[in-house]
Amino acid sequence: MRVAMPKGHINLIKGHPNPKLLPVNQIKVASINALLKPDILTANSGLEYGPDPGYLPLRERIAEWLTEFYRPIAPIKLDRICITGGASQNLSCILEVFSDPVFTRNVWLVCPTYFHACRIFEGGGFHGRLRAVPEDGEGLDVAFLEEGLRKSEEKAKKENNCKPRFRPERAYRKIYSHIIYAVPTFANPSSRTMSLQRREQLVRIARQYDALIITDDVYDQLQWSAATSSTITPIEHATLPRVVDVDRFLDGGAEREGADGFGNAVSNGSFSKIAGPGGRTGWAEGTSKLAWGVSQCGATKSGGAPSHLVATFMACMLESGDLQHHIFDTLQPAYARRYRSTMSAIEQHLLPLGVTLPQSDRDVVGGYFIWLLLPSPLKAEDVVRRAKEDEDLDVAPGTVSAIWGDEEAIDLNRNVRLSFSWEEEDKLAEGVLRLSRVIQEMLKKYVQRL
């Protein structure tokens, strides 16, 4: 006889910010201040078409803010920043400017990957040429990647694929031979963080094979101590340089003598995780040539900088310090509590059942997600289905994060992703408990069949 389903739906799939954590009052104040500025009735108004690289005051504030957070060897210059319509929209723009559907041999995606990225890359003309790159204890497996790049270059040489077919030469663009996509810090979905050594290796490989590394750096500010027993205190600086920072300075830097000046990395940033996805505003950072190139994609050139009005709001929030205070005083503590509640339940209910986690020895964690490996012989899709039917619980199977067209390359059949960002905090531990009941019952039935 089946036990009655517990009351109350729990959603541990949705990777959205909880509405209660959005800075509504701060955005209200910023919008009023932006609309009261004298230039609202001039050509510089946020209500007009914006300049191609985006609202100048926001570019200035972002450069200052990122310099303070990442503390690179030298300050981030204004001309390295371009305002975008968010990380996903800008991913499409980057492909439009810097790839050719034929000459660019492959798109190499860290696997598991952010599952909507595959749709964007296919839309850019890369159907059938997306390739999965596994992760190990230090992040993206660069040895696997390098071998794949080498074979891809051999194939291109045999096919005489030596120049772009569909993207005409333009002063603002460079067509790369390969695209590499990753989320190096607190990755979606695997929650892993790429080591510094691995970031340096990745940049060197990208330079060797003429690849552009696109990194979604959207979770970097959402970080806290991994120790579940420690006091929650803000972490106001990044613990690792971004890949774009590594490219800027490593071995003479992206603009070293003899280089073309475009570099081999672009950082895709967004306000979605820290100020609200409805703002549809982000930024790209790279060399000055690359940032300018992003600003010259067709849609931007036609309509001006995306999200121009909201960009004026974000500039006011950064200038006042309201956004920074919201991150350190509200978001980091709130997500740390949510993470710790979820992890405590995992340690109590799931680890004894044989469930494991990646990079369990980190000092600093963050982001929105926790990645689980189920004990053999359980399959994630079976567990997910039973969780929905028996426990009214939604969790994501690892298979949704496979690379389209290369699904068999890496086995994700025993992985499950939990999100702790959306559901109410008091339901997170209950969600893990429900998942444990499903796993325990399925393991029990498996043993009985032996």
Side-chain angles (χ1 to χ4, degrees), residues 404-445:
W404 291 10
D406 202 19
E407 290 89 351
E408 302 303 317
I410 297 164
D411 185 7
L412 301 176
N413 287 299
R414 288 171 49 209
N415 290 108
V416 171
R417 190 197 76 174
L418 306 184
S419 168
F420 53 85
S421 66
W422 172 256
E423 191 57 85
E424 296 302 323
E425 187 176 341
D426 59 1
K427 292 184 177 181
L428 296 173
E430 170 64 20
V432 173
L433 176 60
R434 294 185 190 184
L435 180 60
S436 74
R437 288 199 292 257
V438 171
I439 293 172
Q440 189 171 28
E441 181 65 21
M442 293 181 73
L443 287 173
K444 180 180 177 182
K445 289 184 177 181

Side-chain angles (χ1 to χ4, degrees), residues 20-38:
K20 295 177 182 177
L21 297 178
L22 300 177
V24 176
N25 290 332
Q26 295 93 323
I27 292 175
K28 178 181 178 181
V29 170
S31 65
I32 292 172
N33 289 339
L35 293 171
L36 288 174
K37 286 183 177 291

Side-chain angles (χ1 to χ4, degrees), residues 101-378:
V102 174
F103 174 76
T104 304
R105 292 85 158 99
N106 294 102
V107 176
W108 305 85
L109 297 93
V110 64
C111 185
T113 201
Y114 167 55
F115 58 90
H116 287 308
C118 293
R119 185 184 300 273
I120 298 171
F121 286 118
E122 281 206 347
F126 291 97
H127 172 71
R129 289 184 293 126
L130 308 185
R131 296 292 180 264
V133 182
E135 292 179 300
D136 59 20
E138 291 191 65
L140 185 145
D141 186 336
V142 290
F144 183 100
L145 172 64
E146 185 168 18
E147 177 65 11
L149 289 166
R150 184 187 63 78
K151 291 179 179 178
S152 181
E153 282 301 301
E154 290 176 354
K155 181 174 182 288
K157 187 175 180 179
K158 289 179 181 178
E159 296 173 350
N160 197 31
N161 184 10
C162 57
K163 63 180 181 179
R165 306 276 186 90
F166 296 100
R167 303 288 196 222
E169 185 176 339
R170 295 286 186 265
Y172 60 82
R173 75 159 36 117
K174 169 190 174 175
I175 302 301
Y176 289 84
S177 299
H178 299 271
I179 300 292
I180 301 169
Y181 173 79
V183 186
T185 302
F186 315 133
N188 175 10
S190 75
S191 73
R192 288 181 174 93
T193 294
M194 192 185 300
S195 70
L196 176 58
Q197 179 182 6
R198 192 58 58 82
R199 294 173 194 227
E200 292 174 346
Q201 292 172 329
L202 180 59
V203 167
R204 289 190 174 108
I205 289 172
R207 291 175 180 177
Q208 180 181 351
Y209 287 94
D210 186 36
L212 176 62
I213 308 163
I214 305 172
T215 60
D216 276 350
D217 297 319
V218 299
Y219 301 103
D220 294 25
Q221 307 258 356
L222 303 178
Q223 57 180 349
W224 49 86
S225 171
T228 56
S229 60
S230 65
T231 303
I232 299 174
T233 56
I235 302 178
E236 297 185 357
H237 304 290
T239 58
L240 288 168
R242 295 164 298 170
V243 173
V244 76
D245 299 318
V246 174
D247 187 43
R248 184 182 175 194
F249 299 110
L250 183 69
D251 301 336
E255 298 174 271
R256 64 200 178 278
E257 184 177 354
D260 57 29
F262 281 95
N264 292 87
V266 56
S267 173
N268 221 359
S270 175
F271 292 106
S272 293
K273 303 298 187 289
I274 53 180
R280 311 311 303 156
T281 308
W283 66 93
E285 182 188 339
T287 66
S288 59
K289 290 179 71 172
L290 189 139
W292 175 251
V294 172
S295 78
Q296 298 304 292
C297 81
T300 298
K301 193 64 180 173
S302 171
S307 305
H308 192 47
L309 179 60
V310 177
T312 68
F313 305 165
M314 294 297 104
C316 287
M317 288 184 72
L318 285 171
E319 184 175 10
S320 68
D322 282 352
L323 182 59
Q324 297 91 316
H325 287 303
H326 180 68
I327 293 168
F328 299 135
D329 300 339
T330 299
L331 295 184
Q332 285 191 4
Y335 285 123
R337 289 192 302 270
R338 289 164 164 272
Y339 171 84
R340 291 179 177 190
S341 175
T342 308
M343 278 300 302
S344 293
I346 288 171
E347 291 170 357
Q348 181 179 356
H349 301 296
L350 295 184
L351 298 191
L353 298 175
V355 174
T356 58
L357 303 97
Q359 294 186 331
S360 57
D361 58 345
R362 285 180 292 176
D363 295 326
V364 176
V365 294
Y368 275 10
F369 307 106
I370 296 173
W371 186 247
L372 305 176
L373 178 64
L374 299 171
S376 180
L378 299 188

Side-chain angles (χ1 to χ4, degrees), residues 17-137:
N18 184 284
K20 295 177 182 177
L21 297 178
L22 300 177
V24 176
N25 290 332
Q26 295 93 323
I27 292 175
K28 178 181 178 181
V29 170
S31 65
I32 292 172
N33 289 339
L35 293 171
L36 288 174
K37 286 183 177 291
D39 67 2
I40 194 65
L41 298 177
T42 72
N44 295 322
S45 169
L47 295 170
E48 290 285 357
Y49 294 111
D52 296 345
Y55 186 57
L56 178 60
L58 180 57
R59 294 169 63 214
E60 292 172 336
R61 299 292 85 76
I62 288 174
E64 295 166 354
W65 172 49
L66 298 182
T67 296
E68 173 61 22
F69 180 70
Y70 290 105
R71 296 195 166 185
I73 295 171
I76 295 168
K77 298 178 181 179
L78 170 68
D79 62 6
R80 291 179 58 84
I81 303 294
C82 166
I83 304 305
T84 72
S88 293
Q89 181 260 11
N90 190 49
L91 186 54
S92 183
C93 290
I94 291 170
L95 293 177
E96 177 185 322
V97 178
F98 296 110
S99 74
D100 179 275
V102 174
F103 174 76
T104 304
R105 292 85 158 99
N106 294 102
V107 176
W108 305 85
L109 297 93
V110 64
C111 185
T113 201
Y114 167 55
F115 58 90
H116 287 308
C118 293
R119 185 184 300 273
I120 298 171
F121 286 118
E122 281 206 347
F126 291 97
H127 172 71
R129 289 184 293 126
L130 308 185
R131 296 292 180 264
V133 182
E135 292 179 300
D136 59 20

